[in-house]
Short mmCIF file of all heavy atoms in Angstrom, two decimals:
data_model
loop_
_atom_site.label_atom_id
_atom_site.label_comp_id
_atom_site.label_asym_id
_atom_site.label_seq_id
_atom_site.Cartn_x
_atom_site.Cartn_y
_atom_site.Cartn_z
N LEU A 259 -13.79 -1.03 -6.50
CA LEU A 259 -14.27 -2.42 -6.97
C LEU A 259 -13.88 -3.58 -6.10
O LEU A 259 -14.25 -4.70 -6.36
CB LEU A 259 -13.70 -2.67 -8.37
CG LEU A 259 -14.03 -1.55 -9.42
CD1 LEU A 259 -13.28 -1.86 -10.76
CD2 LEU A 259 -15.61 -1.68 -9.85
N ILE A 260 -13.16 -3.23 -4.99
CA ILE A 260 -12.66 -4.32 -4.07
C ILE A 260 -13.71 -4.70 -2.97
O ILE A 260 -14.09 -3.81 -2.25
CB ILE A 260 -11.33 -3.97 -3.42
CG1 ILE A 260 -10.24 -3.68 -4.50
CG2 ILE A 260 -10.83 -5.06 -2.45
CD1 ILE A 260 -8.88 -3.14 -3.96
N PRO A 261 -14.18 -5.95 -3.02
CA PRO A 261 -15.12 -6.33 -2.03
C PRO A 261 -14.56 -6.04 -0.57
O PRO A 261 -13.39 -6.26 -0.21
CB PRO A 261 -15.30 -7.79 -2.23
CG PRO A 261 -14.86 -8.04 -3.64
CD PRO A 261 -13.74 -7.05 -3.84
N GLY A 262 -15.43 -5.63 0.36
CA GLY A 262 -15.03 -5.40 1.79
C GLY A 262 -14.55 -4.09 2.08
O GLY A 262 -14.22 -3.82 3.22
N VAL A 263 -14.23 -3.26 1.12
CA VAL A 263 -13.67 -1.87 1.35
C VAL A 263 -14.84 -1.04 1.81
O VAL A 263 -15.96 -1.00 1.18
CB VAL A 263 -13.13 -1.26 0.01
CG1 VAL A 263 -12.77 0.23 0.27
CG2 VAL A 263 -11.87 -2.03 -0.32
N THR A 264 -14.63 -0.28 2.91
CA THR A 264 -15.68 0.64 3.48
C THR A 264 -15.11 1.92 3.95
O THR A 264 -13.82 2.06 4.00
CB THR A 264 -16.28 -0.10 4.78
OG1 THR A 264 -15.27 -0.22 5.82
CG2 THR A 264 -16.84 -1.50 4.48
N VAL A 265 -15.89 2.83 4.39
CA VAL A 265 -15.43 4.11 5.03
C VAL A 265 -15.25 3.68 6.51
O VAL A 265 -16.13 3.26 7.17
CB VAL A 265 -16.46 5.18 4.89
CG1 VAL A 265 -15.98 6.37 5.72
CG2 VAL A 265 -16.64 5.68 3.48
N THR A 266 -13.94 3.86 6.96
CA THR A 266 -13.54 3.49 8.24
C THR A 266 -13.55 4.62 9.29
O THR A 266 -13.60 4.48 10.49
CB THR A 266 -12.28 2.65 8.37
OG1 THR A 266 -11.25 3.56 7.83
CG2 THR A 266 -12.40 1.40 7.50
N ASP A 267 -13.39 5.88 8.76
CA ASP A 267 -13.31 7.03 9.61
C ASP A 267 -13.47 8.20 8.65
O ASP A 267 -12.76 8.56 7.81
CB ASP A 267 -11.93 7.15 10.25
CG ASP A 267 -11.79 8.28 11.31
OD1 ASP A 267 -12.79 9.07 11.29
OD2 ASP A 267 -10.88 8.29 11.96
N ALA A 268 -14.72 8.89 8.86
CA ALA A 268 -15.09 10.08 8.10
C ALA A 268 -14.15 11.35 8.46
O ALA A 268 -14.17 12.29 7.68
CB ALA A 268 -16.54 10.43 8.21
N GLN A 269 -13.51 11.29 9.59
CA GLN A 269 -12.76 12.43 10.03
C GLN A 269 -11.32 11.89 10.44
O GLN A 269 -11.06 12.01 11.72
CB GLN A 269 -13.47 13.28 11.09
CG GLN A 269 -14.68 13.91 10.66
CD GLN A 269 -14.38 15.13 9.71
OE1 GLN A 269 -13.49 15.94 10.03
NE2 GLN A 269 -15.11 15.28 8.58
N ALA A 270 -10.66 11.35 9.61
CA ALA A 270 -9.27 10.72 10.00
C ALA A 270 -8.24 11.88 9.90
O ALA A 270 -8.13 12.53 8.93
CB ALA A 270 -8.86 9.66 9.03
N THR A 271 -7.48 11.93 10.94
CA THR A 271 -6.41 13.00 11.03
C THR A 271 -4.98 12.36 10.90
O THR A 271 -4.69 11.50 11.80
CB THR A 271 -6.50 13.84 12.29
OG1 THR A 271 -7.81 14.45 12.36
CG2 THR A 271 -5.42 14.95 12.31
N LEU A 272 -4.20 12.86 10.04
CA LEU A 272 -2.81 12.47 9.98
C LEU A 272 -1.94 13.72 9.84
O LEU A 272 -2.16 14.53 8.87
CB LEU A 272 -2.54 11.56 8.67
CG LEU A 272 -2.54 9.99 8.82
CD1 LEU A 272 -3.84 9.55 9.23
CD2 LEU A 272 -2.10 9.31 7.56
N ASN A 273 -1.02 13.82 10.75
CA ASN A 273 -0.16 15.04 10.71
C ASN A 273 -0.93 16.33 10.72
O ASN A 273 -0.54 17.27 9.97
CB ASN A 273 0.79 14.95 9.53
CG ASN A 273 2.27 14.41 10.02
OD1 ASN A 273 2.35 13.82 11.09
ND2 ASN A 273 3.24 14.78 9.23
N GLY A 274 -1.96 16.42 11.35
CA GLY A 274 -2.86 17.66 11.32
C GLY A 274 -3.71 17.90 10.11
O GLY A 274 -4.52 18.77 10.09
N ARG A 275 -3.68 16.99 9.12
CA ARG A 275 -4.54 17.02 8.07
C ARG A 275 -5.65 16.10 8.07
O ARG A 275 -5.46 14.93 8.48
CB ARG A 275 -3.68 16.76 6.70
CG ARG A 275 -2.62 17.73 6.50
CD ARG A 275 -1.62 17.14 5.47
NE ARG A 275 -2.24 17.17 4.14
CZ ARG A 275 -1.59 16.43 3.12
NH1 ARG A 275 -0.46 15.73 3.31
NH2 ARG A 275 -2.26 16.54 1.97
N VAL A 276 -6.90 16.41 7.76
CA VAL A 276 -8.08 15.69 7.96
C VAL A 276 -8.54 15.11 6.65
O VAL A 276 -8.65 15.93 5.60
CB VAL A 276 -9.18 16.48 8.63
CG1 VAL A 276 -10.45 15.58 8.90
CG2 VAL A 276 -8.65 16.98 10.02
#
Side-chain angles (χ1 to χ4, degrees):
L259 298 171
I260 298 175
V263 170
T264 65
V265 172
T266 60
D267 190 346
Q269 294 287 315
T271 302
L272 264 66
N273 260 21
R275 300 165 65 197
V276 180

